Structure formats: C-alpha cells, structure tokens
Amino acid sequence: MTSFSHAEYKQRLVKTKERMTQEGVEVLLITDPANMCYLSGYDGWSFYVHQMLLVMIDEEQPIWIGRGMDANVAKVTSWLYHDNIIPYPDDYVQSTTKHPMDFVANILKEIGQSKRTIGVEKDNYYFTAKCYEQLKLGLPNAVFKDSTNLVNWVRIIKSDAEIEYIRKAARIVEKTMYVGIQSIAHGVRECDVAAKIYEAQISGTKEFGGDYPAIVPLMPAGKKTSTPHITWSEDKYTNGMTAILELAGCYKRYHSPMSRTVHLGKPSDKVKDLASTVIEGLNAALEVVKPGVACEEVEEVWRNTIAKSGFKKDSRIGYSMGLNYPPDWGEHTASLRQGDKTILQPNMTFHMIPGIWYDDYGVELSESFRVTETGCEILANFPRELIVKEEVDPLEPLFFNKNVGA
Amino acid sequence: MTSFSHAEYKQRLVKTKERMTQEGVEVLLITDPANMCYLSGYDGWSFYVHQMLLVMIDEEQPIWIGRGMDANVAKVTSWLYHDNIIPYPDDYVQSTTKHPMDFVANILKEIGQSKRTIGVEKDNYYFTAKCYEQLKLGLPNAVFKDSTNLVNWVRIIKSDAEIEYIRKAARIVEKTMYVGIQSIAHGVRECDVAAKIYEAQISGTKEFGGDYPAIVPLMPAGKKTSTPHITWSEDKYTNGMTAILELAGCYKRYHSPMSRTVHLGKPSDKVKDLASTVIEGLNAALEVVKPGVACEEVEEVWRNTIAKSGFKKDSRIGYSMGLNYPPDWGEHTASLRQGDKTILQPNMTFHMIPGIWYDDYGVELSESFRVTETGCEILANFPRELIVKEEVDPLEPLFFNKNVGA
C-alpha cells in the first residue's frame, strides 16, 4: 500500500544518508510528518501526538516510534519491517509526568545509539522545546546537531514518480479553481463557496481521488483582500467586490497550489492596474526560469518588471513545494527572494505567488511550476487573468476552448 | 468582527493573569494558535510561520507579533489596539540567518520586559526547540518557566457564549454524519464520501456556516478499521465492510466531534458484540458524568462495564475539547483515563470516544458532552447504534422521527 516503490524509498534514504555524512550526523531524529512520509511512506493524521522516525547512518531501515494505536497505520502505509515499528504506551500521551521523548531516549539507549552525534529538526513544528529538553536529559552522552530541513533539501528535487503525483494535483486544482470561481456570486456566502471548493478538491477526478491540502482554502474578499491568510466566514459576496482564491489540489500528499482573483462586476482602474502589473511581473519571472538560474535572479526580474508601475512588494514571491502536511505546503527550503542563491535544477517545483495587498484591496495570481531541462512547465492550465464576473459566467467559453478543468 | 464581546476577552485575560500570578509568571509568550485566538480573537491560517501573543501581568492588553502580511488579519479579527500589533519583516520568514524569535526578544527588551519571569508553552507544536534557543540567547537576563497548557486550563470551562458556538457545531456534525453515512455504499470511493462530508461540514446550515475542523475526517474502513488515524483513499467501500467515521462540526473554531460505525450488509457476531459492548460502556460512562466526579471515575465505570464482555481498551476514552486549530481539536488538559483526577465542573466539554480497534476490525461510537449543573448534555442528537446499511437506507425513518440532521 505504499505510494512509491521500495526502491524509491531506498534511494531517498541513500540521499539522506549522504547529507548526514556531510554534516557529521550519525543518527537523524525526524519529526516533520512530510519527512517521515518521504522516507518511510507513513501517512496518518497522528502528528498531533509526538512521533518520530529514526534514521541511523549504518542501518538499512529507519525505525518508527509512535503512539500504540498508530502502529497499525505504520504497518499498513510504510515499507518498514514490522520489527522496526515501535509503539509507546498510551499513558505517554499528553501526560504531565512522562514524555514520549523519554521513551525515544530509552530506545536509543537500548539499541546502542545514545552516544552518537544526533541530528534533530530544531525548527520543525512537531519538535517542541520540551521534546529537545527531554532528549537532552535522557541522552547526556549524545552530541546534538541542528538538522532542520536536512531531509527537506533532499526533497527539493522530485523524482519522476513524484512529478506524476504533482501533475495529478494540478488536474485537481484546475477543476477546483473552476468550481470556486463559478460558485462566487452576489449574495452567496463565503462558506458555501468554500464547501464547493472542498468537494472538488477531495473528490478529485473520476480517474483519481483528491487528498486534503496542507492549507485550507484562503479566500479573502472585499476589504479582507488585504489579509492574505484569512479563511472564510458567513459573509456574502456582493457586486463590486474583489475576491481572491488561493487553493491547492492535492494527490497522495503532493500539492499543486494556485491563486486567482475574481471581480464581481466592472473592476476599478486601480484593481485592473494592479492585476496587470502582477500578471506582467509573473509572466516575466516565469520566462526566466531554467536550470542554472538562481532563485534571487527570478525575483529580481519580477521586481524590475513591476518597478516602473510604481507598485512594490516586500515579501518573497514564491517557494519550493511538493509533499506536505498541515500547516504548510511550502517546503521551507528555497524561496524566490532577494539573497536566495539556490540554483534552479530540473524537477524542482515551486509555487510562484506574487500577491500584492494594500490596506483595502489586493490581487493574487499565482502559478506552480516544475523546472525542466530547458525552462519551466506550468503545472496547471488555467487562464492567467483577472477574472471579471459580470452577469453571464465569463469562464464557460474559456473552459470549452481550452479544454481545462475536465 | 471579533467572535465574542470585548468584555469576554477581558474576562479571559483576567483569568489568565490569575494563573500567571499563581505560577509566578510575569510575561506569558503564547504560540498556541487556539490560545492566541482565545485571548485576542486573532484568527488566520498563519501559524505556519512563527507568531506570538505576549501577555504582560501589568498591561491591559496583549501584544501580537507576527509576519508583516498578517498584521491586517490581526487588525480585522482581534480586539487589540492597532499599536499592539507589531509586524516583523518578511526576511525573517524561514531564513537561515535570522529568526522571528530574535525579533520578539528585541521587542521585549525595548518595552522593558527582558529581565522578568517569562512563561513559554514548551510543549506546544508551534514553539519549536529553535524558538526557545533563540529566546534564551536574546534574553539572557530573563527567567524562563514552562507554561505549557496554562491558558488551556483557563479554556477548560466554557462561557455560555462558547457553549452556544459548540451547540452550533453539534448541529453541523449531525448533518455531516448523516450525509457521510448516506454516502457510504458498495462501490463508492472513500474520497467521494470524504468530499460529501467536507461539503456538509463547511456549508453548515442555512442559518450559520461551518468552519474547518482541526482534524480532517478520519474514515478507516475494512481492514483499515484497525488504524484509527488513517484518512481516506481511492479505495471503494464494498459489501460486508465495517466503516468508521470520526468527524466534527466546527463553528468559529469551536468543535463538536462524533464518531459512528457503519456496516454494509449483515455484520458478523464479533462486530455486533464489539459494538454492543462499546455502546453499553459509553452509556454507563455518560450516565455517571456530573459536577464533582473525577475524570478517572468516569473511565473506571467504562472499564468495569466492558470487563465482563472480555474486551479491553488500554487508551484513554476521552478528552476536553472546544476551540482549536490543526492538528488537534483536543485541549490537552483533562483526559478521561486512569489517574486523571480533574474534577468535572459545569460547562466543561468533552469528547468521549471509547473506540476499540483490533488488528483486522474495530468499532468507534462517540459522543461529545457538556457537563451541566446536575449531569450531562449530549451535544449532538444522533442514533447511538451500529448503523447497518442493507439495501434500503436504514437512517431515513430515524431521521424523520427524531427530526435530526435538518
């Protein structure tokens, strides 16, 4: 039932161990659910309790340690030998007297790994300050190193099998964005649009089903377009309003995010100008994507392109993405921003999202792309424009013509 | 646009400060998004970057510190003075050279709070080991204390206004469970059932809209009923299968979770026996809920009731719940389990979920309840039984009779 071949998991492990060797890490303790899944296949909604994947430089397979009731999920979804799946008793869960990391430390002692150089993901959500304290208490002879994003940097270049999953996610986001835009209309509640979006995201297509994206639909509208990470409410869309949708399709935890901006009725000149600027900058930045170019160079093209319009943007315009779990589909490695010298390579995948938000309006138009051998592949096929919804649905002919969103 | 009156937020702050005083904490640094929302109203999907609410024992209002682009969300959703909303620049986001906690430490220095006793939520997902290291580096003269769950323990007793939200969430979960059970049928993909569930959860009712639950629908089926925290797949339901749904309704971040087990076709005796045992134990445990009873006593009634059947369960049978964000709707305070001496009080709300899972089958039936002055209020009105779906839909008459799921 694993999502990839065992050979692929083994290959990922080899690459992880290469990085461990470079950084002098003998044992890597992984708490990031995406990294756990990437190396083992483990996939369950259990990251709300402490759990971990142990990679030892000289052992063939990782060890999974988690809550007792989740050991069966590990057996069902991972390629690990069942002997490598170690459950902890339930009284470790949210206890004030014992901590799952005490259990982990004891396992490391039992298997002779307690005096080694141990890498931990210090800035990962699921590695709390308390986790680290307990590990240090339990393993006084270990040397700890910060291995935040070590596996994430392995993940940044996707295999062809991963790209196929991301392409499926792109088919789902095309359909979902179409449904979302169709649902937005004067008098409709935001929550009802969100419901339609979810239905499209999760049902997927007839050929393959959707998975839950790591971020909920972000859908600021009206004055709230100045607040990019607000979710939905019971407010109704009204004529004259700008509405943003930032969504992803997700297939087996792989994402293809996209955002579009809709205007109900005739947009003002300032909204049109802002949209034109964003699109022009996005087009120019996508044009420059190819292997060998640095992330900061892509951002620079964006910045120079929009400079003449008088608009500016202080925040990054994109980030590496792929496999992930809540709360983020971003990979926390390369960003398209000033100072990021990461060199683009084939099969890196990014979400380029140059949104610009002011205090009372905002526009977002984004694309996810794969770096190819010679340039870039835009993952989703969707009209790259400010979508103006007047009385009749403006998208219908576009979709018919371009055969999108099927 | 706040979800509660300013008076209610002030009251919550008073209670939080009382606990701070008891524990000798002068400045409380809050990273749990539910605690941030509880005290300030702040509500956005921005917890994937570092952010914080500072409560000072001698200041009227908390201070919000977060990413620049999220400051507007704080202005729109919280009751804080705009001067108390402090954005950090975007180059702090996922940087390898600077950390948002450096920014927080500098703010604390600037406002004269750097030499105080500072409480941090050491075991909260959103307070990483790195956060704590950077704070300690930046504030060498502060004394740090572990304030994990300090605010959660204030949250455990709900106000009447909160109870109203939870009741709305219960209306949504009734509808959602009904839709989910109706959708499960031979030959239907799990993802298509999940899509219908989401649509029901998020659209809510005509009177009020739904919010996203902190946990996705958990829906193990067939052999996977042994894996309580697995999500859905593209597999199809088939006749003869046991299918579990664990869902919540959510209204303005307040939850009402529920689980039910469905059997497609005639269930085996072992599934029927297990379901009877779970229901008998659940009924007996709910019967004993009232103010003054300890959590462990409720669990003991469950354990004694099922003992005679030969079944047993090692894990806790429930937990306090209410306001929350991913990855958990549980509050991480009281659990219904051995050794938990928390005394039940009016307006505590729990999810009692005595699931029993074996290696190749499992049954879950749960209820969320509020402790009343004299006993307990079951939040959702839904048939408490193993739901057997034969050729005709068995729920239809039940729903008509009991007027549920409208």
Side-chain angles (χ1 to χ4, degrees):
Chain A
M1 252 192 71
T2 53
S3 297
F4 297 93
S5 69
H6 291 198
E8 177 147 352
Y9 290 112
K10 284 178 187 168
Q11 185 56 27
R12 296 171 180 183
L13 204 53
V14 166
K15 288 184 190 161
T16 300
K17 287 180 179 177
E18 280 168 12
R19 282 195 176 258
M20 287 168 64
T21 303
Q22 283 161 21
E23 302 191 12
V25 170
E26 295 169 302
V27 178
L28 180 60
L29 304 187
I30 297 170
T31 46
D32 182 330
N35 292 340
M36 290 180 69
C37 179
Y38 184 72
L39 294 177
S40 74
Y42 181 74
D43 180 26
W45 189 283
S46 56
F47 39 89
Y48 69 92
V49 295
H50 293 300
Q51 55 183 19
M52 191 172 267
L53 196 75
L54 278 64
V55 176
M56 287 150 287
I57 195 79
D58 38 18
E59 291 289 334
E60 182 204 340
Q61 275 211 349
I63 289 175
W64 179 96
I65 300 178
R67 188 181 184 185
M69 68 172 69
D70 296 319
N72 273 341
V73 185
K75 290 179 190 167
V76 168
T77 60
S78 83
W79 65 287
L80 304 184
Y81 302 134
H82 290 190
D83 284 350
N84 282 32
I85 293 168
I86 305 177
Y88 61 74
D90 211 65
D91 58 354
Y92 279 93
V93 174
Q94 296 158 16
S95 161
T96 52
T97 56
K98 51 208 296 191
H99 195 279
M101 291 304 140
D102 306 338
F103 185 91
V104 169
N106 284 334
I107 296 288
L108 284 165
K109 275 185 229 164
E110 278 172 29
I111 60 175
Q113 304 288 327
S114 65
K115 296 175 186 172
R116 304 192 83 174
T117 302
I118 296 179
V120 290
E121 297 175 305
K122 275 195 191 174
D123 211 15
N124 178 261
Y125 312 111
Y126 300 101
F127 191 69
T128 66
K130 181 78 175 172
C131 284
Y132 193 33
E133 276 195 356
Q134 294 306 114
L135 281 179
K136 285 191 289 190
L137 272 174
L139 299 167
N141 299 315
V143 175
F144 287 94
K145 281 207 154 188
D146 188 358
S147 296
T148 303
N149 292 340
L150 185 149
V151 181
N152 306 49
W153 280 104
V154 177
R155 277 164 47 203
I156 195 170
I157 297 178
K158 275 71 184 171
S159 70
D160 290 343
E162 289 180 288
I163 295 294
E164 278 312 307
Y165 283 7
I166 293 173
R167 287 196 184 117
K168 286 184 173 177
R171 296 295 80 73
I172 295 173
V173 79
E174 287 165 357
K175 173 195 162 196
T176 303
M177 184 61 79
Y178 179 63
V179 166
I181 292 170
Q182 277 213 316
S183 307
I184 292 175
H186 180 80
V188 174
R189 297 184 306 179
E190 291 171 16
C191 59
D192 290 319
V193 173
K196 293 289 178 200
I197 286 169
Y198 266 113
E199 193 192 14
Q201 276 175 327
I202 305 305
S203 62
T205 72
K206 281 181 188 164
E207 293 73 33
F208 47 86
D211 203 349
Y212 60 91
I215 303 180
V216 298
L218 300 172
M219 32 201 301
K223 286 230 165 190
K224 292 183 288 184
T225 44
S226 68
T227 59
H229 299 125
I230 208 161
T231 55
W232 59 88
S233 74
E234 300 161 271
D235 293 347
K236 289 177 178 172
Y237 292 97
T238 55
N239 281 333
M241 198 178 249
T242 305
I244 290 173
L245 294 179
E246 183 182 351
L247 315 169
C250 184
Y251 181 73
K252 291 187 188 288
R253 313 295 335 121
Y254 284 82
H255 293 76
S256 184
M258 177 165 56
S259 68
R260 286 295 183 271
T261 301
V262 180
H263 198 85
L264 288 176
K266 196 170 182 296
S268 67
D269 285 345
K270 77 178 180 183
V271 170
K272 277 197 289 191
D273 288 350
L274 181 55
S276 299
T277 301
V278 167
I279 293 165
E280 192 186 348
L282 179 61
N283 288 341
L286 287 169
E287 195 65 35
V288 78
V289 168
K290 64 177 182 184
V293 171
C295 285
E296 61 178 1
E297 294 177 77
V298 176
E299 193 274 344
E300 194 183 3
V301 168
W302 151 267
R303 193 158 23 87
N304 291 340
T305 305
I306 68 161
K308 60 182 183 294
S309 69
F311 292 107
K312 72 190 185 72
K313 174 175 171 66
D314 296 324
S315 49
R316 65 178 181 179
I317 64 157
Y319 46 80
S320 179
M321 62 82 200
L323 168 70
N324 230 325
Y325 285 85
D328 197 5
W329 56 50
E331 263 176 0
H332 300 192
T333 49
S335 288
L336 303 173
R337 65 176 162 192
Q338 289 186 56
D340 193 317
K341 300 191 187 302
T342 310
I343 301 296
L344 297 181
Q345 295 178 60
N347 275 10
M348 287 184 173
T349 48
F350 282 83
H351 182 208
M352 188 189 288
I353 175 164
I356 297 184
W357 307 278
Y358 289 97
D359 274 355
D360 55 355
Y361 69 112
V363 166
E364 275 181 38
L365 269 116
S366 79
E367 296 288 4
S368 290
F369 66 84
R370 172 179 82 91
V371 182
T372 65
E373 295 295 330
T374 55
C376 90
E377 168 191 345
I378 307 296
L379 288 159
N381 179 12
F382 204 92
R384 197 180 299 160
E385 56 195 51
L386 174 69
I387 293 152
V388 178
K389 285 193 77 169
E390 312 237 29
E391 254 115 280
V392 291
D393 186 333
L395 269 182
E396 208 64 55
L398 287 173
F399 273 81
F400 262 88
N401 292 342
K402 300 193 184 176
N403 197 22
V404 174
Chain B
M1 254 192 68
T2 53
S3 296
F4 297 92
S5 69
H6 291 199
E8 177 148 350
Y9 290 111
K10 285 177 187 169
Q11 185 57 28
R12 295 172 179 183
L13 204 52
V14 166
K15 287 183 190 161
T16 299
K17 288 180 178 176
E18 281 168 10
R19 281 193 176 259
M20 288 168 65
T21 303
Q22 283 161 21
E23 301 191 11
V25 171
E26 295 169 301
V27 178
L28 180 60
L29 304 188
I30 297 170
T31 46
D32 182 330
N35 292 340
M36 290 179 69
C37 179
Y38 184 71
L39 293 177
S40 75
Y42 180 74
D43 180 27
W45 189 283
S46 57
F47 39 89
Y48 70 92
V49 294
H50 293 300
Q51 55 183 18
M52 190 172 267
L53 196 74
L54 278 63
V55 175
M56 288 150 287
I57 196 79
D58 38 17
E59 291 289 335
E60 183 204 340
Q61 274 212 351
I63 289 175
W64 178 96
I65 300 178
R67 187 181 185 186
M69 67 172 70
D70 296 319
N72 273 341
V73 184
K75 289 179 189 166
V76 168
T77 60
S78 84
W79 66 287
L80 304 184
Y81 302 136
H82 290 189
D83 284 351
N84 282 32
I85 293 167
I86 304 177
Y88 62 74
D90 210 65
D91 58 355
Y92 279 93
V93 174
Q94 296 159 14
S95 161
T96 52
T97 56
K98 51 208 295 193
H99 195 279
M101 291 305 138
D102 306 339
F103 185 90
V104 169
N106 284 333
I107 296 288
L108 285 165
K109 277 185 224 160
E110 278 172 29
I111 60 175
Q113 304 287 328
S114 64
K115 296 175 185 171
R116 304 191 83 176
T117 302
I118 296 179
V120 290
E121 296 175 306
K122 276 194 191 174
D123 210 14
N124 179 260
Y125 313 112
Y126 301 101
F127 191 69
T128 66
K130 182 76 173 173
C131 285
Y132 192 32
E133 277 196 353
Q134 293 307 114
L135 280 179
K136 285 191 288 189
L137 273 175
L139 300 166
N141 299 314
V143 174
F144 287 95
K145 280 206 154 188
D146 188 358
S147 295
T148 302
N149 292 341
L150 185 149
V151 180
N152 306 49
W153 280 105
V154 177
R155 278 163 46 204
I156 194 170
I157 297 179
K158 276 71 184 170
S159 71
D160 290 343
E162 290 179 288
I163 294 295
E164 278 311 306
Y165 283 8
I166 292 174
R167 287 196 184 117
K168 286 183 172 176
R171 296 294 81 73
I172 294 173
V173 81
E174 288 166 357
K175 174 196 163 197
T176 302
M177 184 60 78
Y178 179 62
V179 166
I181 292 170
Q182 277 213 316
S183 306
I184 292 175
H186 180 80
V188 174
R189 297 185 305 179
E190 291 171 16
C191 59
D192 290 319
V193 174
K196 292 290 177 200
I197 287 169
Y198 266 115
E199 192 192 17
Q201 275 175 327
I202 305 304
S203 61
T205 72
K206 281 181 187 162
E207 293 74 32
F208 47 87
D211 203 348
Y212 59 91
I215 303 180
V216 298
L218 300 172
M219 35 201 299
K223 285 230 166 193
K224 293 183 288 183
T225 44
S226 68
T227 59
H229 299 125
I230 209 160
T231 54
W232 58 87
S233 73
E234 301 161 89
D235 293 346
K236 289 177 177 171
Y237 291 97
T238 54
N239 281 333
M241 197 178 249
T242 306
I244 290 173
L245 294 179
E246 183 182 351
L247 315 169
C250 185
Y251 182 73
K252 291 187 186 290
R253 312 295 335 120
Y254 283 82
H255 294 76
S256 184
M258 176 164 58
S259 69
R260 285 295 182 272
T261 302
V262 180
H263 197 85
L264 288 176
K266 196 171 181 298
S268 67
D269 286 344
K270 77 178 179 183
V271 171
K272 278 198 286 190
D273 287 351
L274 181 55
S276 299
T277 301
V278 167
I279 293 166
E280 191 185 349
L282 180 61
N283 288 342
L286 287 170
E287 194 66 34
V288 79
V289 169
K290 65 178 181 183
V293 170
C295 285
E296 62 178 359
E297 293 176 76
V298 177
E299 193 275 343
E300 194 184 3
V301 168
W302 151 267
R303 191 157 25 87
N304 291 341
T305 305
I306 67 161
K308 60 181 182 294
S309 69
F311 292 109
K312 71 189 184 78
K313 175 176 170 65
D314 296 324
S315 48
R316 63 179 181 179
I317 63 158
Y319 46 80
S320 180
M321 61 81 200
L323 168 70
N324 231 326
Y325 285 84
D328 197 5
W329 57 48
E331 263 175 359
H332 299 194
T333 48
S335 289
L336 303 173
R337 65 175 161 192
Q338 288 185 58
D340 194 317
K341 301 191 187 301
T342 311
I343 300 296
L344 297 180
Q345 294 177 61
N347 275 9
M348 286 183 171
T349 50
F350 282 82
H351 182 209
M352 188 189 288
I353 175 163
I356 297 184
W357 307 278
Y358 288 98
D359 273 354
D360 54 354
Y361 70 112
V363 166
E364 274 181 40
L365 269 117
S366 80
E367 297 288 1
S368 290
F369 66 84
R370 172 178 82 90
V371 182
T372 64
E373 295 296 329
T374 55
C376 91
E377 169 191 345
I378 307 296
L379 287 159
N381 180 11
F382 203 93
R384 196 180 300 158
E385 57 194 52
L386 174 69
I387 293 152
V388 177
K389 285 193 78 169
E390 312 238 29
E391 253 116 279
V392 292
D393 187 331
L395 269 181
E396 207 66 55
L398 287 173
F399 273 80
F400 262 87
N401 293 343
K402 300 192 184 174
N403 198 22
V404 175

